[in-house]
Amino acid sequence: MFAARFDPSQVQNLSEPAGVFKTQLRPVVPSKRGKESDDESESESESESKQEDVKESREPDGSGSEVSLSDVEALEASSDGPEPNSDDQISSIGTVLNDKHSGLYNRFQKTLSLQEKLRSSDLIETEDEKTEALEQHDLVPIPQPAVVKNTFPSAEAATVMSKSAAWLQTQKVYYDNSMVKPFASYETQLNDKLLANITTKFSDQTFPVQTILLDTVLPKLRFAQSVNKRQFPRRVGDILVNASTGSGKTLAYSIPVVQSLSKRTVNRLRCLIVVPTKILIHQVFETLTKLSQGTSLITGISKLENSLRDEHKKFQNQQPDILIITPGRLVDHLQLNSFDLKNLKFLVLDEADRLLNQSFQNWCSVIMNRLKSDKNERAPVSVIKMVFSATLTTNTEKLHNLELNRPSLFMMDSVKLYHLPKLLQEHNVQIPTAKSFAKPLFLMQLIVALSDNNSRILVFARSNEASLRLATLLQLMSAKRILNTDANLEVTSINSNNTKGLNSKLIKQFAAVGSNKTVKVLVATDLMSRGIDIDNITNVINYDPPISSQQYVHRCGRTARAQAQGVAFNLLVGKGEQKFWTEHIDSDLSRDADGCHPKSHDEVDALKDILTTSPDVEENYRKCLEQLKEEVHDR
């Protein structure tokens, strides 16, 4: 059973035959360790077989061949005896293993016989049997999870969201052009004098932005004032309004202010209206004067033409209830302590994007710090900030400087930043690059094609110098009558070279009603694109494209005001300007679905030939260019 131990001192005889050599060789096993391991494994197997055989012998119904205890003892005794042959050893081990497995097989057979005798109700149903009992179906597609919709915004929406990041934390209130109602429906919320002034001096119907503001702000003001007259601005919160030009924003914020202050008893500065230009001062002052007629409210103005010392004495003697002022002048009066802001309830920013884009002696920080010191309050102070613009800024930093308190944003229900008037018709005039030299001539032909009784055309140029040269060239072409027309052109220009008085006079002449067959043309820069309220401008021509969508909105907003019709023309040279208008201007603009949308000038019969010229006309045009060159050189 065990191999002979290898003795390295003995030399094997390798010269014997192969058969003899194989019979004489013995496997080499470590002397001590090999024997012990073999003994342990042999004893374990023998003990296991011995225990199982004993168990089989104790069972009464055992059958089959069994290994008796005497056989086991004989086997153990033989293992201690002399070493047997290898064949006898293999046969004896095989007998023991067969007897062991036969016992396991006998027990398996008994288990099967017992299961056959059991009733079906006593059997335990396995998981496999349950699966087999299920109803079988034909092959069908494997059920798929629900489709996850793309939650990422589109490229256009993502661009708008990135541009309007400053508006994400505001409460948005949407309105549309259908929100029009009579002012008489507010008779329970407005006093009788104010309502009479509105209906007799302005209109019987509200504009959409006025409707949403009056419906939202008036109830808040009424409730907050009934609770606490001193701290009511905190309950109302701040107001941001992004409305198109000519939509009635001035009247929209003037009505709540006059209604709220109409019951005051002592004159104190309670409303401060900040505007960027002097022209806007007069327009807002005219609106408030008409609204407050019949009340004891005092409306004051402050402008650069007046003496700062005289205004300082005037405000110290009697403070107005409402003050309309420009940012630079406001800082001057705050430094002179002409008035304090202790009783201020309303801070209105008209054309806010322009105010916030320019520092004006860092006016925003100055007024916010002064409010905190005069009111002895921490931010946000108890003042209702009303921020109005057709292109409200999306700069988070600039709006943060205003320290807004629970702001509400009123805007048109659109994904675009800015909204154009519903009745504004836009036309794009695509000028080939090869014909760009004749752009002023094409402008002249467009003006002649638009000539009608009492037509008023506002032309926007890129710069002050460009407006001067363009106006002079139009005057030369009109004087020489290079185009066969009976229209009488009256071309003027407002620019920084003129005095303020002359510019104001030219604007009044442009807005006045003229004689028949007179076409009034006013060439201006973007200075005229803000706050100029001239109701009867029939056409706006963008001779030079604006630098941004904001400028475009303000330019085109000079016409189609107060729900009237208007037309805007864009002179675009080459593919570059057309691409710029499409990607950087038109992409930010929204229009009503049932309103006007941009068209090409070719779609209008009267404008199809404005880009075609005859040789005689071109020759006269070149002569006018030479004369303009001489005049500019003489200057």
Side-chain angles (χ1 to χ4, degrees):
M1 179 175 178
F2 298 97
R5 200 164 112 185
F6 172 74
D7 188 0
S9 64
Q10 297 180 2
V11 179
Q12 301 293 335
N13 188 6
L14 302 177
S15 63
E16 296 181 0
V20 178
F21 176 73
K22 288 182 179 179
T23 57
Q24 291 180 355
L25 287 177
R26 300 185 211 178
V28 179
V29 180
S31 60
K32 193 169 189 178
R33 190 167 133 198
K35 188 174 181 179
E36 291 176 356
S37 62
D38 290 345
D39 293 343
E40 290 176 358
S41 61
E42 191 70 24
S43 61
E44 288 177 359
S45 61
E46 290 176 357
S47 62
E48 289 177 358
S49 62
K50 185 191 300 183
Q51 292 176 0
E52 292 182 0
D53 292 341
V54 171
K55 291 181 181 179
E56 290 292 335
S57 64
R58 291 179 182 176
E59 294 181 1
D61 297 334
S63 61
S65 61
E66 298 179 357
V67 181
S68 62
L69 182 59
S70 60
D71 295 336
V72 176
E73 292 175 353
L75 183 60
E76 291 177 353
S78 64
S79 65
D80 296 335
E83 183 178 354
N85 294 330
S86 61
D87 296 337
D88 297 339
Q89 181 180 355
I90 293 172
S91 62
S92 62
I93 294 174
T95 303
V96 175
L97 293 176
N98 289 337
D99 292 341
K100 175 181 178 181
H101 291 297
S102 64
L104 295 175
Y105 180 74
N106 289 335
R107 289 199 299 274
F108 178 68
Q109 292 293 337
K110 287 181 181 181
T111 303
L112 293 179
S113 62
L114 289 174
Q115 288 182 354
E116 292 175 356
K117 296 177 182 180
L118 292 174
R119 294 176 297 177
S120 59
S121 60
D122 297 334
L123 296 176
I124 300 175
E125 187 176 9
T126 62
E127 293 293 332
D128 296 337
E129 293 173 348
K130 289 180 181 180
T131 306
E132 293 177 358
L134 295 176
E135 183 180 357
Q136 300 296 325
H137 296 278
D138 295 333
L139 291 176
V140 294
I142 298 175
Q144 300 295 326
V147 178
V148 179
K149 295 182 179 180
N150 186 12
T151 57
F152 294 98
S154 62
E156 181 181 357
T159 303
V160 175
M161 290 175 61
S162 65
K163 291 181 179 179
S164 59
W167 299 348
L168 296 179
Q169 303 302 323
T170 60
Q171 179 184 358
K172 295 182 177 61
V173 182
Y174 296 101
Y175 65 94
D176 53 58
N177 286 330
S178 62
M179 301 177 65
V180 178
K181 58 196 301 187
F183 275 109
S185 60
Y186 297 100
E187 58 182 357
T188 58
Q189 303 182 52
L190 301 176
N191 60 57
D192 296 337
K193 292 182 179 180
L194 177 59
L195 186 60
N197 292 335
I198 295 172
T199 55
T200 57
K201 295 179 174 60
F202 294 97
S203 174
D204 295 333
Q205 301 287 328
T206 63
F207 289 170
V209 66
Q210 298 169 358
T211 303
I212 191 64
L213 274 177
L214 296 180
D215 290 345
T216 306
V217 177
L218 285 180
K220 287 184 179 180
L221 280 173
R222 187 174 183 179
F223 174 76
Q225 285 182 316
S226 64
V227 174
N228 190 337
K229 291 185 178 181
R230 185 175 182 180
Q231 298 293 332
F232 76 89
R234 289 187 181 275
R235 294 180 176 269
V236 178
D238 295 333
I239 298 170
L240 307 177
V241 179
N242 189 37
S244 59
T245 57
S247 58
K249 295 188 295 293
T250 305
L251 194 63
Y253 66 74
S254 299
I255 292 176
V257 169
V258 174
Q259 172 64 23
S260 177
L261 302 182
S262 59
K263 297 181 180 180
R264 67 100 183 89
T265 55
V266 181
N267 293 342
R268 293 289 185 270
L269 181 58
R270 305 179 193 274
C271 178
L272 196 60
I273 301 177
V274 185
V275 295
T277 61
K278 183 187 72 172
I279 299 177
L280 268 177
I281 289 179
H282 293 288
Q283 292 182 2
V284 176
F285 176 75
E286 182 181 358
T287 301
L288 286 171
T289 303
K290 293 178 180 179
L291 282 179
S292 60
Q293 188 174 355
T295 66
S296 59
L297 292 177
I298 300 176
T299 303
I301 62 174
S302 176
K303 54 185 180 179
L304 294 176
E305 285 75 11
N306 300 337
S307 170
L308 181 61
R309 180 178 299 179
D310 294 341
E311 288 185 350
H312 171 69
K313 294 180 179 179
K314 177 182 176 181
F315 291 147
Q316 281 191 331
N317 294 331
Q318 184 182 32
Q319 293 186 8
D321 298 295
I322 303 172
L323 178 60
I324 310 166
I325 194 171
T326 55
R329 199 68 165 185
L330 173 61
V331 174
D332 294 337
H333 281 294
L334 290 178
Q335 292 175 349
L336 292 176
N337 293 323
S338 301
F339 45 76
D340 59 67
L341 307 179
K342 182 178 181 180
N343 299 290
L344 193 68
K345 304 299 181 185
F346 296 92
L347 175 61
V348 182
L349 306 184
D350 201 349
E351 298 292 342
D353 59 322
R354 183 174 178 182
L355 290 173
L356 296 175
N357 286 336
Q358 301 179 14
S359 61
F360 289 118
Q361 301 177 356
N362 201 20
W363 70 272
C364 188
S365 300
V366 171
I367 190 174
M368 296 311 298
N369 293 332
R370 187 62 178 268
L371 278 170
K372 295 175 189 177
S373 61
D374 288 354
K375 286 181 169 289
N376 194 19
E377 296 176 358
R378 295 182 179 179
V381 293
S382 179
V383 172
I384 299 176
K385 305 177 195 70
M386 308 177 77
V387 184
F388 286 77
S389 179
T391 54
L392 187 63
T393 180
T394 57
N395 190 312
T396 309
E397 181 182 0
K398 293 175 183 176
L399 289 179
H400 177 72
N401 293 335
L402 293 175
E403 301 176 2
L404 300 175
N405 173 34
R406 297 184 295 110
S408 298
L409 174 62
F410 296 83
M411 60 188 301
M412 295 290 289
D413 190 4
S414 173
V415 297
K416 301 296 185 68
L417 288 178
Y418 312 123
H419 189 80
L420 291 178
K422 181 179 180 179
L423 300 179
L424 174 65
Q425 180 60 63
E426 303 162 85
H427 293 280
N428 289 339
V429 181
Q430 187 67 44
I431 302 175
T433 306
K435 296 183 178 181
S436 60
F437 75 96
K439 187 178 180 181
L441 177 59
F442 298 149
L443 172 63
M444 187 67 177
Q445 295 185 154
L446 176 60
I447 294 174
V448 171
L450 297 175
S451 61
D452 195 359
N453 293 336
N454 294 326
S455 295
R456 286 170 180 78
I457 302 174
L458 181 59
V459 181
F460 284 101
R462 177 184 296 111
S463 62
N464 186 68
E465 186 66 23
S467 66
L468 284 171
R469 293 184 180 183
L470 181 60
T472 304
L473 183 57
L474 290 177
Q475 291 171 356
L476 291 175
M477 289 189 290
S478 176
K480 290 190 175 184
R481 294 191 176 272
I482 64 173
L483 299 178
N484 295 325
T485 178
D486 296 333
N488 182 20
L489 298 184
E490 184 180 323
V491 182
T492 56
S493 172
I494 59 172
N495 50 77
S496 59
N497 291 358
N498 298 338
T499 62
K500 293 182 178 180
L502 178 58
N503 284 335
S504 299
K505 181 180 179 180
L506 293 176
I507 292 175
K508 291 180 180 179
Q509 291 179 357
F510 178 73
V513 178
S515 60
N516 294 334
K517 296 184 179 182
T518 299
V519 180
K520 292 187 177 182
V521 180
L522 180 62
V523 183
T525 61
D526 288 315
L527 179 65
M528 272 286 296
S529 66
R530 301 229 179 204
I532 305 301
D533 188 10
I534 302 176
D535 296 331
N536 50 7
I537 296 178
T538 56
N539 299 278
V540 169
I541 300 177
N542 292 312
Y543 178 79
D544 293 320
I547 61 175
S548 65
S549 56
Q550 293 183 0
Q551 290 290 0
Y552 184 80
V553 170
H554 287 289
R555 284 184 179 186
C556 296
R558 297 311 98 201
T559 185
R561 299 179 66 84
Q563 299 183 350
Q565 293 184 350
V567 184
F569 292 90
N570 304 312
L571 302 186
L572 306 176
V573 178
K575 296 181 179 179
E577 291 187 355
Q578 176 66 38
K579 183 178 179 181
F580 176 81
W581 185 87
T582 303
E583 296 181 356
H584 298 281
I585 296 178
D586 188 56
S587 60
D588 291 340
L589 306 177
S590 65
R591 302 170 181 86
D592 291 336
D594 57 344
C596 299
H597 293 268
K599 295 181 180 180
S600 175
H601 74 282
D602 296 337
E603 301 181 28
V604 182
D605 294 337
L607 304 178
K608 288 183 178 181
D609 299 331
I610 62 173
L611 298 183
T612 59
T613 58
S614 62
D616 295 339
V617 172
E618 288 189 9
E619 183 180 358
N620 293 330
Y621 168 67
R622 294 181 185 276
K623 291 180 180 179
C624 292
L625 288 177
E626 291 295 331
Q627 187 175 351
L628 173 64
K629 183 178 180 180
E630 294 176 359
E631 291 185 6
V632 172
H633 181 72
D634 293 339
R635 293 178 185 175

